[in-house]
Amino acid sequence: MNATEPSLLRRLVGFNLATGIVLAVVGYILGRWLGDQIHGASLDYMSESGEDDVSLALGYFVGLIGFLVGLGFANYPASRLIGRPPSLPRPDAQGIGRYFRLTPDHKVVGMQYFTGIGVFFFVAGLTAMLIRTELLQPGQNIWPPDKYLTLVGTHGTLMMGMMTSSVLGTFGNFIAPLMIGARRSAFPRLESLSFWLLMAAGVILLTNLAFGGFQTGWTGYAPLSEEGVSGIDGYLFFFATVGLSMTLLGFNLVVTIVTMRAPELRWGRLPIFVWGIFTTSATMVLAAPVLTVAMLLVLLDRTAQTTFFYPAAGGSAYLFQNLFWFFGHPEVYLLMLPGAGILLQLLPVFSRKPLWGYRLAVAGMLGISLVSFMVWQHHLFVSGLAADLRPFYILSTELISIPTGFIFICALATIWRGRLRLEVPMLFCLAWIFNFMVGGITGIYNSDAPSDTTAHGSFFVMAHFHYTIMGGLVFTFFAAIYYWLPKMTGLTLNKTLGKVHFWLMFIAFNSTFFPLLIVGFLGMPRRIVTYPERWEFLNAWSSVSSFVLGFSMLVFLANLVYSMFIARIPAPANPWHSTSAEWQTSSPPPLHNFDNDPTIGDPHDYGRAPEPHTPGLQTAAEGG
Amino acid sequence: MAARIPEPEAPELVARNLAVGARLAAGATTFAFLGPVFAYLYLRSLNTADLWHPAGVDPPLLLGTAIVLLTAASAVVLLLASRRAAASRNRLLFLASLSFLLGIAAVALQVVEYFVLGFGPTDGGYASVFVAWSGLTAVFALGTMLWLETLIAFMLRGGERDPSQAIGPRFAALAFYWAYLAGLGIVMWVCLYVTA
């Protein structure tokens, strides 16, 4: 052990995850006790649960504060309050310990996001397997209805809450500063705070199972959320915390991209992936606070007995739908836009052609970001929306297909007559084009009030949604993993296992969700534990396919473990022959990112000049 | 190769980060207040069961006006302070401290108001919006005052003499954000006290 390194005991009792967990438990107990003291006078006319929502909410809140204090997030504010000067946080020593505490290194935060979100992604995937197991046959098979609904809600909520930050948290934090030639992010503590808030939120959500679960689905509509058992509190606290985390994540990335670009990197030369991160982050900073406040208003209804969503006392359940979807529809694009950024960044690399229509693609991203705030009421077409408002929201929703079309055009024109390299990341990108096309076309039926009236609340909507989000985001997320993990870790991913993963995932994904489009079209409602026997074949087919889909994730996990811990084949310096700046430094990059200032050129300039290595393009995944 | 620790940020970069950050924070804050504002407009127009604003649910206008005036005065004083950041240390410290006291007084009065309201959160839509909107404003105001306190404490230790600490841009960013928040406070006052 290095003589200057603190002892094991000192490291364990310092500000780190272990201390955070201990203080979280202490805080939770303290909060519950406080809640028990002040709850006596409150009214329970809405919640018939017999649980003490005030106590539970305070338990979550004080527990969260304890967790953050234990991680060291109170140290800097406390030192500033007594007049110590502003400072950058001290960078951690190298070693595994830096992944378990507050860190100022954007690359470490990126890896933390990758691992943390990965864990919750697998948990949420497991709940999906359990849902499909129940639906293998008609009738109630494994889960009683309330448990089934809790599974559905936990799956949807975890996926939506966590995966929104997947690309931004992992690749936005790790790669975007490298791409713009920055040596750090603008607000490193906020960057780290956003991650730990998200992890705390995930654990809080899972505690709902100990308090009766929640039967509202991921949308948490009132009056179900008002009347539900205390498991709802975990859901509300989860989304409120996730909203805060998203706001901080987007805030840091926007400021970093605006202020910390290399001097010669003008807006017109910004890599398209960074544009994707920028537009997503800007949308996130504005949309996520609405989510946080909406959840706090429901919590106020359940604890302080306000009446926002309680019609008998002057409130309205529709108010929640408006607030939720004002966040919720931009949320869909928060999931889609980073995927589009990855797609358009990677297609030129593997087509060896410049990105076609750079400005059109940027306009598409900006257009989606802007219009996404104007469409939320299409979710209320069957909720008593005033008939006069319907045409506007039909029009605005269909209008958003125009900037989305820009991205499609740019993607297709970029690969047109390109010298395609069907590497693993490229395969995932090509899958995006097919999946998102199906998602987009089926979306038209939901944007139109007459057809939405029949499709609403059915498996058709659910399958459409999975085509856009899983087909659009998760596929490009995997493309980015295969593309950038060699940069992030310095190690090569196995190519054969990568291809097996892709083909299994692509086929099983379509085989899972296409039948659900059909059963939804036939009228099968979602969030129901059973269905008529005539839909058994399609459901059974979908369930078996979903198991294969789940298996494909295990193949990926096996590849990750094999490549990172067993084979450990060093990655080439620039395995894809990319022209963007992140490949001008070592893999993984040093603490200060670049030994020399990177050369900023056209980030999508491929195929114009002779490329010495093009015929036998060296790959980062050739271990197979 | 030994890991090289990143060099401290240049003061100009700190200034830009703070300026952009303050404006972005103002945008995020606006959207955070959309919840209570939307609830105000929506529930007021619906007036479900005629329970939007039952008789007797009236906030103390005098207290509310005092709160908003204190907030606005604090913001104006801080704006003046930030414009004179480079001129005189003592003057800057005086104005910043005055702004801090005015802001804290506004938050304290808000707490006092809750004790003398005469109605509670259960008394209809307006009462709920009142509690949430004014409470959210008070939380944001308190957070901003803590930010201001850090700058005052820093100056009391003489830290602003270090040119790399960019005290002027720090005050400018804070003053912008606080003025913006005060503007939102005035909107709240008009909605909850004047036109309710």
PDB file of all heavy atoms in Angstrom, chain A residues 81-83 85 184 251 259 286 293 305 307-308 312-313 315 318 592, chain B residues 4 6-7 9 17 21 31-32 42 48 51 122 124 128 149 154 157:
ATOM      1  N   LEU A  81     -20.566  28.231   3.323  1.00  0.00           N
ATOM      2  CA  LEU A  81     -21.372  29.019   4.258  1.00  0.00           C
ATOM      3  C   LEU A  81     -20.492  29.682   5.322  1.00  0.00           C
ATOM      4  O   LEU A  81     -20.874  30.720   5.874  1.00  0.00           O
ATOM      5  CB  LEU A  81     -22.429  28.133   4.934  1.00  0.00           C
ATOM      6  CG  LEU A  81     -23.648  27.798   4.068  1.00  0.00           C
ATOM      7  CD1 LEU A  81     -24.520  26.764   4.753  1.00  0.00           C
ATOM      8  CD2 LEU A  81     -24.475  29.046   3.764  1.00  0.00           C
ATOM      9  N   ILE A  82     -19.344  29.104   5.609  1.00  0.00           N
ATOM     10  CA  ILE A  82     -18.460  29.751   6.578  1.00  0.00           C
ATOM     11  C   ILE A  82     -17.362  30.547   5.873  1.00  0.00           C
ATOM     12  O   ILE A  82     -16.375  30.926   6.497  1.00  0.00           O
ATOM     13  CB  ILE A  82     -17.853  28.737   7.576  1.00  0.00           C
ATOM     14  CG1 ILE A  82     -17.053  27.664   6.833  1.00  0.00           C
ATOM     15  CG2 ILE A  82     -18.914  28.114   8.446  1.00  0.00           C
ATOM     16  CD1 ILE A  82     -16.244  26.770   7.761  1.00  0.00           C
ATOM     17  N   GLY A  83     -17.546  30.786   4.601  1.00  0.00           N
ATOM     18  CA  GLY A  83     -16.696  31.746   3.901  1.00  0.00           C
ATOM     19  C   GLY A  83     -15.473  31.195   3.210  1.00  0.00           C
ATOM     20  O   GLY A  83     -14.630  31.958   2.735  1.00  0.00           O
ATOM     21  N   PRO A  85     -13.249  29.719   0.193  1.00  0.00           N
ATOM     22  CA  PRO A  85     -13.345  30.139  -1.209  1.00  0.00           C
ATOM     23  C   PRO A  85     -13.940  29.043  -2.107  1.00  0.00           C
ATOM     24  O   PRO A  85     -13.830  27.853  -1.803  1.00  0.00           O
ATOM     25  CB  PRO A  85     -11.893  30.419  -1.603  1.00  0.00           C
ATOM     26  CG  PRO A  85     -11.084  29.633  -0.643  1.00  0.00           C
ATOM     27  CD  PRO A  85     -11.857  29.561   0.628  1.00  0.00           C
ATOM     28  N   ARG A 184     -12.997  19.261 -18.490  1.00  0.00           N
ATOM     29  CA  ARG A 184     -13.895  18.884 -17.394  1.00  0.00           C
ATOM     30  C   ARG A 184     -15.282  19.402 -17.748  1.00  0.00           C
ATOM     31  O   ARG A 184     -15.465  20.031 -18.789  1.00  0.00           O
ATOM     32  CB  ARG A 184     -13.435  19.497 -16.078  1.00  0.00           C
ATOM     33  CG  ARG A 184     -13.543  21.012 -16.031  1.00  0.00           C
ATOM     34  CD  ARG A 184     -13.226  21.545 -14.681  1.00  0.00           C
ATOM     35  NE  ARG A 184     -11.829  21.443 -14.383  1.00  0.00           N
ATOM     36  CZ  ARG A 184     -10.916  22.357 -14.709  1.00  0.00           C
ATOM     37  NH1 ARG A 184     -11.283  23.433 -15.351  1.00  0.00           N
ATOM     38  NH2 ARG A 184      -9.652  22.201 -14.402  1.00  0.00           N
ATOM     39  N   PHE A 251     -28.739  20.518 -16.904  1.00  0.00           N
ATOM     40  CA  PHE A 251     -28.177  21.832 -16.595  1.00  0.00           C
ATOM     41  C   PHE A 251     -26.666  21.827 -16.815  1.00  0.00           C
ATOM     42  O   PHE A 251     -26.116  22.686 -17.516  1.00  0.00           O
ATOM     43  CB  PHE A 251     -28.524  22.169 -15.140  1.00  0.00           C
ATOM     44  CG  PHE A 251     -27.983  23.472 -14.645  1.00  0.00           C
ATOM     45  CD1 PHE A 251     -28.668  24.655 -14.879  1.00  0.00           C
ATOM     46  CD2 PHE A 251     -26.800  23.522 -13.941  1.00  0.00           C
ATOM     47  CE1 PHE A 251     -28.173  25.857 -14.417  1.00  0.00           C
ATOM     48  CE2 PHE A 251     -26.295  24.720 -13.474  1.00  0.00           C
ATOM     49  CZ  PHE A 251     -26.978  25.898 -13.714  1.00  0.00           C
ATOM     50  N   THR A 259     -20.304  26.784 -22.865  1.00  0.00           N
ATOM     51  CA  THR A 259     -19.161  27.607 -22.450  1.00  0.00           C
ATOM     52  C   THR A 259     -17.797  26.942 -22.591  1.00  0.00           C
ATOM     53  O   THR A 259     -16.790  27.637 -22.591  1.00  0.00           O
ATOM     54  CB  THR A 259     -19.301  28.033 -20.973  1.00  0.00           C
ATOM     55  OG1 THR A 259     -19.202  26.868 -20.158  1.00  0.00           O
ATOM     56  CG2 THR A 259     -20.612  28.726 -20.716  1.00  0.00           C
ATOM     57  N   LEU A 286     -36.046  22.078 -18.839  1.00  0.00           N
ATOM     58  CA  LEU A 286     -37.336  22.760 -18.753  1.00  0.00           C
ATOM     59  C   LEU A 286     -38.474  21.810 -18.392  1.00  0.00           C
ATOM     60  O   LEU A 286     -39.395  22.187 -17.653  1.00  0.00           O
ATOM     61  CB  LEU A 286     -37.649  23.448 -20.085  1.00  0.00           C
ATOM     62  CG  LEU A 286     -36.610  24.488 -20.525  1.00  0.00           C
ATOM     63  CD1 LEU A 286     -37.017  25.143 -21.833  1.00  0.00           C
ATOM     64  CD2 LEU A 286     -36.414  25.561 -19.464  1.00  0.00           C
ATOM     65  N   VAL A 293     -42.444  18.963  -9.558  1.00  0.00           N
ATOM     66  CA  VAL A 293     -43.471  19.720  -8.825  1.00  0.00           C
ATOM     67  C   VAL A 293     -44.815  18.984  -8.870  1.00  0.00           C
ATOM     68  O   VAL A 293     -45.529  18.943  -7.866  1.00  0.00           O
ATOM     69  CB  VAL A 293     -43.571  21.155  -9.390  1.00  0.00           C
ATOM     70  CG1 VAL A 293     -44.759  21.883  -8.795  1.00  0.00           C
ATOM     71  CG2 VAL A 293     -42.293  21.916  -9.065  1.00  0.00           C
ATOM     72  N   GLN A 305     -52.892  17.209   2.947  1.00  0.00           N
ATOM     73  CA  GLN A 305     -54.329  17.232   2.651  1.00  0.00           C
ATOM     74  C   GLN A 305     -54.748  18.440   1.826  1.00  0.00           C
ATOM     75  O   GLN A 305     -55.846  18.967   1.990  1.00  0.00           O
ATOM     76  CB  GLN A 305     -55.156  17.163   3.947  1.00  0.00           C
ATOM     77  CG  GLN A 305     -54.710  16.098   4.930  1.00  0.00           C
ATOM     78  CD  GLN A 305     -54.774  14.686   4.357  1.00  0.00           C
ATOM     79  OE1 GLN A 305     -55.594  14.418   3.488  1.00  0.00           O
ATOM     80  NE2 GLN A 305     -53.930  13.810   4.816  1.00  0.00           N
ATOM     81  N   THR A 307     -55.932  19.841  -1.912  1.00  0.00           N
ATOM     82  CA  THR A 307     -57.023  19.212  -2.692  1.00  0.00           C
ATOM     83  C   THR A 307     -56.822  19.380  -4.197  1.00  0.00           C
ATOM     84  O   THR A 307     -57.786  19.437  -4.946  1.00  0.00           O
ATOM     85  CB  THR A 307     -58.369  19.832  -2.295  1.00  0.00           C
ATOM     86  OG1 THR A 307     -58.353  21.225  -2.647  1.00  0.00           O
ATOM     87  CG2 THR A 307     -58.636  19.716  -0.811  1.00  0.00           C
ATOM     88  N   PHE A 308     -55.576  19.417  -4.645  1.00  0.00           N
ATOM     89  CA  PHE A 308     -55.309  19.674  -6.070  1.00  0.00           C
ATOM     90  C   PHE A 308     -56.058  18.714  -6.990  1.00  0.00           C
ATOM     91  O   PHE A 308     -56.625  19.106  -8.005  1.00  0.00           O
ATOM     92  CB  PHE A 308     -53.805  19.546  -6.352  1.00  0.00           C
ATOM     93  CG  PHE A 308     -53.009  20.696  -5.854  1.00  0.00           C
ATOM     94  CD1 PHE A 308     -52.279  20.589  -4.680  1.00  0.00           C
ATOM     95  CD2 PHE A 308     -53.002  21.892  -6.537  1.00  0.00           C
ATOM     96  CE1 PHE A 308     -51.541  21.653  -4.214  1.00  0.00           C
ATOM     97  CE2 PHE A 308     -52.264  22.966  -6.074  1.00  0.00           C
ATOM     98  CZ  PHE A 308     -51.535  22.851  -4.903  1.00  0.00           C
ATOM     99  N   ALA A 312     -63.986  16.476  -5.092  1.00  0.00           N
ATOM    100  CA  ALA A 312     -65.003  16.774  -4.084  1.00  0.00           C
ATOM    101  C   ALA A 312     -64.603  17.945  -3.195  1.00  0.00           C
ATOM    102  O   ALA A 312     -65.424  18.472  -2.447  1.00  0.00           O
ATOM    103  CB  ALA A 312     -65.252  15.536  -3.221  1.00  0.00           C
ATOM    104  N   ALA A 313     -63.338  18.358  -3.279  1.00  0.00           N
ATOM    105  CA  ALA A 313     -62.898  19.473  -2.436  1.00  0.00           C
ATOM    106  C   ALA A 313     -62.301  20.607  -3.276  1.00  0.00           C
ATOM    107  O   ALA A 313     -61.456  21.363  -2.806  1.00  0.00           O
ATOM    108  CB  ALA A 313     -61.879  18.976  -1.414  1.00  0.00           C
ATOM    109  N   GLY A 315     -60.688  20.296  -6.333  1.00  0.00           N
ATOM    110  CA  GLY A 315     -59.581  19.949  -7.227  1.00  0.00           C
ATOM    111  C   GLY A 315     -60.074  19.284  -8.499  1.00  0.00           C
ATOM    112  O   GLY A 315     -61.276  19.280  -8.793  1.00  0.00           O
ATOM    113  N   TYR A 318     -58.069  15.665 -13.658  1.00  0.00           N
ATOM    114  CA  TYR A 318     -57.512  15.981 -14.978  1.00  0.00           C
ATOM    115  C   TYR A 318     -56.312  16.923 -14.879  1.00  0.00           C
ATOM    116  O   TYR A 318     -55.466  16.961 -15.767  1.00  0.00           O
ATOM    117  CB  TYR A 318     -58.571  16.606 -15.885  1.00  0.00           C
ATOM    118  CG  TYR A 318     -59.693  15.662 -16.208  1.00  0.00           C
ATOM    119  CD1 TYR A 318     -61.021  16.029 -16.012  1.00  0.00           C
ATOM    120  CD2 TYR A 318     -59.434  14.396 -16.712  1.00  0.00           C
ATOM    121  CE1 TYR A 318     -62.057  15.159 -16.300  1.00  0.00           C
ATOM    122  CE2 TYR A 318     -60.461  13.516 -17.008  1.00  0.00           C
ATOM    123  CZ  TYR A 318     -61.770  13.896 -16.799  1.00  0.00           C
ATOM    124  OH  TYR A 318     -62.783  13.032 -17.088  1.00  0.00           O
ATOM    125  N   HIS A 592      -6.895  14.469 -17.117  1.00  0.00           N
ATOM    126  CA  HIS A 592      -7.012  15.805 -17.712  1.00  0.00           C
ATOM    127  C   HIS A 592      -7.483  15.729 -19.169  1.00  0.00           C
ATOM    128  O   HIS A 592      -7.426  16.715 -19.885  1.00  0.00           O
ATOM    129  CB  HIS A 592      -5.668  16.519 -17.628  1.00  0.00           C
ATOM    130  CG  HIS A 592      -4.533  15.676 -18.156  1.00  0.00           C
ATOM    131  ND1 HIS A 592      -3.940  14.688 -17.404  1.00  0.00           N
ATOM    132  CD2 HIS A 592      -3.914  15.649 -19.345  1.00  0.00           C
ATOM    133  CE1 HIS A 592      -2.990  14.099 -18.120  1.00  0.00           C
ATOM    134  NE2 HIS A 592      -2.972  14.654 -19.301  1.00  0.00           N
TER     135      HIS A 592
ATOM    136  N   ARG B   4      -2.323  13.972 -14.307  1.00  0.00           N
ATOM    137  CA  ARG B   4      -2.138  15.412 -14.153  1.00  0.00           C
ATOM    138  C   ARG B   4      -3.459  16.022 -13.691  1.00  0.00           C
ATOM    139  O   ARG B   4      -4.502  15.798 -14.298  1.00  0.00           O
ATOM    140  CB  ARG B   4      -1.726  16.009 -15.499  1.00  0.00           C
ATOM    141  CG  ARG B   4      -1.038  17.358 -15.367  1.00  0.00           C
ATOM    142  CD  ARG B   4      -0.469  17.780 -16.705  1.00  0.00           C
ATOM    143  NE  ARG B   4      -1.486  18.331 -17.580  1.00  0.00           N
ATOM    144  CZ  ARG B   4      -1.360  18.422 -18.905  1.00  0.00           C
ATOM    145  NH1 ARG B   4      -0.290  17.943 -19.489  1.00  0.00           N
ATOM    146  NH2 ARG B   4      -2.306  18.952 -19.634  1.00  0.00           N
ATOM    147  N   PRO B   6      -6.279  18.662 -13.343  1.00  0.00           N
ATOM    148  CA  PRO B   6      -6.684  19.784 -14.184  1.00  0.00           C
ATOM    149  C   PRO B   6      -6.384  21.115 -13.496  1.00  0.00           C
ATOM    150  O   PRO B   6      -6.529  21.247 -12.288  1.00  0.00           O
ATOM    151  CB  PRO B   6      -8.192  19.579 -14.339  1.00  0.00           C
ATOM    152  CG  PRO B   6      -8.418  18.138 -14.054  1.00  0.00           C
ATOM    153  CD  PRO B   6      -7.377  17.749 -13.072  1.00  0.00           C
ATOM    154  N   GLU B   7      -5.977  22.088 -14.316  1.00  0.00           N
ATOM    155  CA  GLU B   7      -5.689  23.402 -13.749  1.00  0.00           C
ATOM    156  C   GLU B   7      -6.990  24.104 -13.367  1.00  0.00           C
ATOM    157  O   GLU B   7      -8.037  23.801 -13.923  1.00  0.00           O
ATOM    158  CB  GLU B   7      -4.941  24.231 -14.798  1.00  0.00           C
ATOM    159  CG  GLU B   7      -3.556  23.702 -15.079  1.00  0.00           C
ATOM    160  CD  GLU B   7      -3.044  24.128 -16.444  1.00  0.00           C
ATOM    161  OE1 GLU B   7      -3.679  24.992 -17.066  1.00  0.00           O
ATOM    162  OE2 GLU B   7      -2.015  23.579 -16.868  1.00  0.00           O
ATOM    163  N   GLU B   9      -9.976  26.726 -13.218  1.00  0.00           N
ATOM    164  CA  GLU B   9     -10.614  27.400 -14.345  1.00  0.00           C
ATOM    165  C   GLU B   9     -10.222  28.869 -14.371  1.00  0.00           C
ATOM    166  O   GLU B   9     -10.059  29.497 -13.323  1.00  0.00           O
ATOM    167  CB  GLU B   9     -12.134  27.293 -14.210  1.00  0.00           C
ATOM    168  CG  GLU B   9     -12.630  25.905 -14.522  1.00  0.00           C
ATOM    169  CD  GLU B   9     -14.084  25.712 -14.140  1.00  0.00           C
ATOM    170  OE1 GLU B   9     -14.653  26.603 -13.505  1.00  0.00           O
ATOM    171  OE2 GLU B   9     -14.626  24.661 -14.464  1.00  0.00           O
ATOM    172  N   ASN B  17     -19.600  30.517 -17.134  1.00  0.00           N
ATOM    173  CA  ASN B  17     -20.377  29.404 -16.564  1.00  0.00           C
ATOM    174  C   ASN B  17     -21.489  29.929 -15.663  1.00  0.00           C
ATOM    175  O   ASN B  17     -22.631  29.466 -15.711  1.00  0.00           O
ATOM    176  CB  ASN B  17     -19.471  28.482 -15.748  1.00  0.00           C
ATOM    177  CG  ASN B  17     -18.652  27.558 -16.630  1.00  0.00           C
ATOM    178  OD1 ASN B  17     -18.884  27.473 -17.825  1.00  0.00           O
ATOM    179  ND2 ASN B  17     -17.688  26.880 -16.048  1.00  0.00           N
ATOM    180  N   GLY B  21     -25.295  29.660 -16.438  1.00  0.00           N
ATOM    181  CA  GLY B  21     -25.982  28.848 -15.435  1.00  0.00           C
ATOM    182  C   GLY B  21     -27.133  29.594 -14.785  1.00  0.00           C
ATOM    183  O   GLY B  21     -28.209  29.030 -14.579  1.00  0.00           O
ATOM    184  N   PHE B  31     -40.252  26.936 -15.174  1.00  0.00           N
ATOM    185  CA  PHE B  31     -41.022  25.727 -15.462  1.00  0.00           C
ATOM    186  C   PHE B  31     -41.421  25.007 -14.169  1.00  0.00           C
ATOM    187  O   PHE B  31     -42.464  24.353 -14.129  1.00  0.00           O
ATOM    188  CB  PHE B  31     -40.254  24.810 -16.413  1.00  0.00           C
ATOM    189  CG  PHE B  31     -40.451  25.186 -17.849  1.00  0.00           C
ATOM    190  CD1 PHE B  31     -39.874  26.334 -18.359  1.00  0.00           C
ATOM    191  CD2 PHE B  31     -41.245  24.421 -18.692  1.00  0.00           C
ATOM    192  CE1 PHE B  31     -40.075  26.707 -19.679  1.00  0.00           C
ATOM    193  CE2 PHE B  31     -41.451  24.785 -20.023  1.00  0.00           C
ATOM    194  CZ  PHE B  31     -40.863  25.936 -20.515  1.00  0.00           C
ATOM    195  N   ALA B  32     -40.612  25.141 -13.122  1.00  0.00           N
ATOM    196  CA  ALA B  32     -41.007  24.548 -11.837  1.00  0.00           C
ATOM    197  C   ALA B  32     -42.283  25.218 -11.333  1.00  0.00           C
ATOM    198  O   ALA B  32     -43.158  24.569 -10.758  1.00  0.00           O
ATOM    199  CB  ALA B  32     -39.883  24.700 -10.820  1.00  0.00           C
ATOM    200  N   TYR B  42     -56.259  26.487 -14.003  1.00  0.00           N
ATOM    201  CA  TYR B  42     -57.135  25.360 -14.331  1.00  0.00           C
ATOM    202  C   TYR B  42     -58.243  25.215 -13.292  1.00  0.00           C
ATOM    203  O   TYR B  42     -59.439  25.151 -13.640  1.00  0.00           O
ATOM    204  CB  TYR B  42     -56.279  24.090 -14.392  1.00  0.00           C
ATOM    205  CG  TYR B  42     -56.944  22.899 -15.032  1.00  0.00           C
ATOM    206  CD1 TYR B  42     -57.014  22.774 -16.413  1.00  0.00           C
ATOM    207  CD2 TYR B  42     -57.465  21.874 -14.258  1.00  0.00           C
ATOM    208  CE1 TYR B  42     -57.597  21.668 -17.005  1.00  0.00           C
ATOM    209  CE2 TYR B  42     -58.057  20.763 -14.845  1.00  0.00           C
ATOM    210  CZ  TYR B  42     -58.121  20.669 -16.212  1.00  0.00           C
ATOM    211  OH  TYR B  42     -58.709  19.568 -16.797  1.00  0.00           O
ATOM    212  N   THR B  48     -64.585  23.524  -9.530  1.00  0.00           N
ATOM    213  CA  THR B  48     -65.285  22.268  -9.240  1.00  0.00           C
ATOM    214  C   THR B  48     -66.095  22.381  -7.952  1.00  0.00           C
ATOM    215  O   THR B  48     -65.579  22.832  -6.924  1.00  0.00           O
ATOM    216  CB  THR B  48     -64.254  21.128  -9.082  1.00  0.00           C
ATOM    217  OG1 THR B  48     -63.323  21.208 -10.156  1.00  0.00           O
ATOM    218  CG2 THR B  48     -64.937  19.772  -9.102  1.00  0.00           C
ATOM    219  N   LEU B  51     -65.994  25.125  -5.313  1.00  0.00           N
ATOM    220  CA  LEU B  51     -65.075  25.114  -4.179  1.00  0.00           C
ATOM    221  C   LEU B  51     -63.703  25.701  -4.522  1.00  0.00           C
ATOM    222  O   LEU B  51     -62.725  25.443  -3.826  1.00  0.00           O
ATOM    223  CB  LEU B  51     -64.893  23.681  -3.663  1.00  0.00           C
ATOM    224  CG  LEU B  51     -66.013  23.175  -2.759  1.00  0.00           C
ATOM    225  CD1 LEU B  51     -65.847  21.702  -2.466  1.00  0.00           C
ATOM    226  CD2 LEU B  51     -66.055  23.971  -1.459  1.00  0.00           C
ATOM    227  N   THR B 122     -56.769  22.407   3.214  1.00  0.00           N
ATOM    228  CA  THR B 122     -57.940  21.601   2.822  1.00  0.00           C
ATOM    229  C   THR B 122     -59.110  22.453   2.346  1.00  0.00           C
ATOM    230  O   THR B 122     -60.116  21.898   1.892  1.00  0.00           O
ATOM    231  CB  THR B 122     -58.430  20.774   4.028  1.00  0.00           C
ATOM    232  OG1 THR B 122     -58.693  21.674   5.112  1.00  0.00           O
ATOM    233  CG2 THR B 122     -57.407  19.760   4.458  1.00  0.00           C
ATOM    234  N   GLY B 124     -60.303  24.037  -0.155  1.00  0.00           N
ATOM    235  CA  GLY B 124     -60.618  24.301  -1.559  1.00  0.00           C
ATOM    236  C   GLY B 124     -59.396  24.475  -2.429  1.00  0.00           C
ATOM    237  O   GLY B 124     -58.241  24.442  -1.967  1.00  0.00           O
ATOM    238  N   SER B 128     -55.265  25.378  -1.597  1.00  0.00           N
ATOM    239  CA  SER B 128     -54.185  24.447  -1.945  1.00  0.00           C
ATOM    240  C   SER B 128     -53.111  25.135  -2.788  1.00  0.00           C
ATOM    241  O   SER B 128     -51.913  24.993  -2.538  1.00  0.00           O
ATOM    242  CB  SER B 128     -54.752  23.253  -2.724  1.00  0.00           C
ATOM    243  OG  SER B 128     -55.670  22.557  -1.942  1.00  0.00           O
ATOM    244  N   GLU B 149     -25.460  34.332   1.177  1.00  0.00           N
ATOM    245  CA  GLU B 149     -24.696  34.260   2.431  1.00  0.00           C
ATOM    246  C   GLU B 149     -23.294  33.742   2.178  1.00  0.00           C
ATOM    247  O   GLU B 149     -22.326  34.224   2.785  1.00  0.00           O
ATOM    248  CB  GLU B 149     -25.430  33.351   3.427  1.00  0.00           C
ATOM    249  CG  GLU B 149     -24.932  33.463   4.856  1.00  0.00           C
ATOM    250  CD  GLU B 149     -23.681  32.641   5.150  1.00  0.00           C
ATOM    251  OE1 GLU B 149     -23.381  31.707   4.371  1.00  0.00           O
ATOM    252  OE2 GLU B 149     -22.991  32.929   6.131  1.00  0.00           O
ATOM    253  N   PHE B 154     -17.670  34.827   2.368  1.00  0.00           N
ATOM    254  CA  PHE B 154     -16.402  34.786   1.628  1.00  0.00           C
ATOM    255  C   PHE B 154     -15.722  36.161   1.670  1.00  0.00           C
ATOM    256  O   PHE B 154     -14.509  36.272   1.886  1.00  0.00           O
ATOM    257  CB  PHE B 154     -16.697  34.354   0.190  1.00  0.00           C
ATOM    258  CG  PHE B 154     -15.504  34.296  -0.699  1.00  0.00           C
ATOM    259  CD1 PHE B 154     -14.424  33.497  -0.395  1.00  0.00           C
ATOM    260  CD2 PHE B 154     -15.457  35.050  -1.865  1.00  0.00           C
ATOM    261  CE1 PHE B 154     -13.318  33.446  -1.234  1.00  0.00           C
ATOM    262  CE2 PHE B 154     -14.361  35.003  -2.701  1.00  0.00           C
ATOM    263  CZ  PHE B 154     -13.301  34.203  -2.383  1.00  0.00           C
ATOM    264  N   ARG B 157     -14.116  37.129   4.972  1.00  0.00           N
ATOM    265  CA  ARG B 157     -12.786  36.512   5.140  1.00  0.00           C
ATOM    266  C   ARG B 157     -11.750  37.144   4.222  1.00  0.00           C
ATOM    267  O   ARG B 157     -10.615  36.689   4.171  1.00  0.00           O
ATOM    268  CB  ARG B 157     -12.863  35.024   4.828  1.00  0.00           C
ATOM    269  CG  ARG B 157     -13.466  34.185   5.928  1.00  0.00           C
ATOM    270  CD  ARG B 157     -13.391  32.730   5.519  1.00  0.00           C
ATOM    271  NE  ARG B 157     -13.736  31.857   6.651  1.00  0.00           N
ATOM    272  CZ  ARG B 157     -13.005  30.816   7.014  1.00  0.00           C
ATOM    273  NH1 ARG B 157     -11.912  30.506   6.363  1.00  0.00           N
ATOM    274  NH2 ARG B 157     -13.371  30.067   8.034  1.00  0.00           N
TER     275      ARG B 157
END
